Amino acid sequence: QINHAVLTCRDPSHMPKDILSHPKTHAFPVSANDEESVASVAKYVKTHLNGKLNAVVHVAGVLHDEQVYPETSITKVKRDAMMHSFEVNSVFPAMTAKHFLPLLKAAAASPDDSGEPVYAALSARIGSIGDNRLGGWVSYRASKAALNQLIKTLAIEGSRVKPRPVVAVGIHPGTCVTDLTAPFRKNVDPATVRSAERGAEDIWKIVATASAQGVSGKCVAYDGTIVPP
């Protein structure tokens, strides 16, 4: 059961109206290159929503846009494009963790809450060092590997929270029908491509069961399997 949902994106006016009009929905604009926009959401939660969160799910990421496209070789890497990948895929989730971890810790310490609060971020199997067999996609691959390290580090810090720890988990959502995967789905077995709605269900299932499954610090695939570090 969700008491309140705090939603963020670049432009909340694009969210479905039935979601925006729900009395327990709180929507805010947030930008990957604006830490203050993240801090302001955390401040709102602290001031208006009892200062605690039971789950934070960071789903923002970039594979391609007007600034970056997956490289086929290290010789194709452009400094600004790689910095952009790291800003969105690595630094941005670090900033959400920085500002929202105190709210997760507050839930962990509250006698009114049960279970272990969870910080989750969408990673990718391609960020696995041990699973890298093809090379390429240098900026995206490296930025997601950095995210996986962030998740591991956050899990260690979260394990020290008392009386209940804060769980941190990376999630590999697989290939879903989204703008991010559109240019590449032709190379994927159609039987493995899932709808965005099914992808969202799989993500939430991992978040809801992360504590019981003992996966803190790991990257979990949509089917529940562990992605090698």
Side-chain angles (χ1 to χ4, degrees):
Q1 181 180 359
I2 298 177
N3 293 323
H4 289 271
V6 180
L7 310 176
T8 66
C9 67
R10 283 172 291 185
D11 186 354
S13 67
H14 293 164
M15 291 182 182
K17 292 183 179 180
D18 59 332
I19 292 178
L20 289 174
S21 62
H22 195 283
K24 292 188 176 182
T25 294
H26 313 261
F28 302 91
V30 165
S31 175
N33 60 5
D34 181 6
E35 182 182 351
E36 183 53 37
S37 67
V38 179
S40 66
V41 177
K43 183 177 181 180
Y44 176 90
V45 173
K46 186 174 182 178
T47 304
H48 300 285
L49 297 179
N50 298 321
K52 56 187 180 181
L53 291 172
N54 296 104
V56 173
V57 186
H58 184 105
V59 300
V62 64
L63 172 58
H64 60 89
D65 60 12
E66 66 279 358
Q67 297 184 57
V68 64
Y69 197 84
E71 311 95 343
T72 56
S73 165
I74 193 72
T75 61
K76 304 292 185 181
V77 172
K78 296 180 180 178
R79 182 187 183 282
D80 289 347
M82 192 171 195
M83 293 294 288
H84 177 55
S85 291
F86 271 84
E87 179 177 57
V88 177
N89 297 331
S90 309
V91 179
F92 191 19
M95 293 303 99
T96 59
K98 170 185 175 180
H99 290 284
F100 293 143
L101 181 59
L103 306 175
L104 294 167
K105 287 181 176 180
S110 173
D112 299 325
D113 293 277
S114 60
E116 299 170 358
V118 178
Y119 177 90
L122 289 199
S123 185
R125 184 178 296 277
I126 201 169
S128 166
I129 295 174
D131 196 54
N132 184 357
R133 301 183 183 91
L134 299 175
W137 289 35
V138 181
S139 297
Y140 188 70
R141 191 184 293 277
S143 64
K144 289 297 185 179
L147 172 58
N148 290 343
Q149 182 66 274
L150 168 68
I151 291 295
K152 176 64 175 179
T153 302
L154 185 59
I156 294 171
E157 182 172 347
S159 70
R160 301 179 181 133
V161 178
K162 306 298 180 184
R164 298 187 301 274
V166 173
V167 172
V169 61
I171 300 175
H172 166 59
T175 302
C176 298
V177 181
T178 65
D179 291 343
L180 184 143
T181 66
F184 315 104
R185 288 200 299 269
K186 63 181 181 294
N187 301 319
V188 179
D189 180 359
T192 66
V193 177
R194 293 149 32 253
S195 68
E197 292 77 11
R198 175 60 187 275
E201 291 174 1
D202 292 337
I203 290 167
W204 187 248
K205 182 178 179 180
I206 293 171
V207 172
T209 61
S211 174
Q213 297 298 322
V215 295
S216 192
K218 299 178 181 179
C219 181
V220 183
Y222 63 94
D223 58 1
T225 58
I226 303 300
V227 177

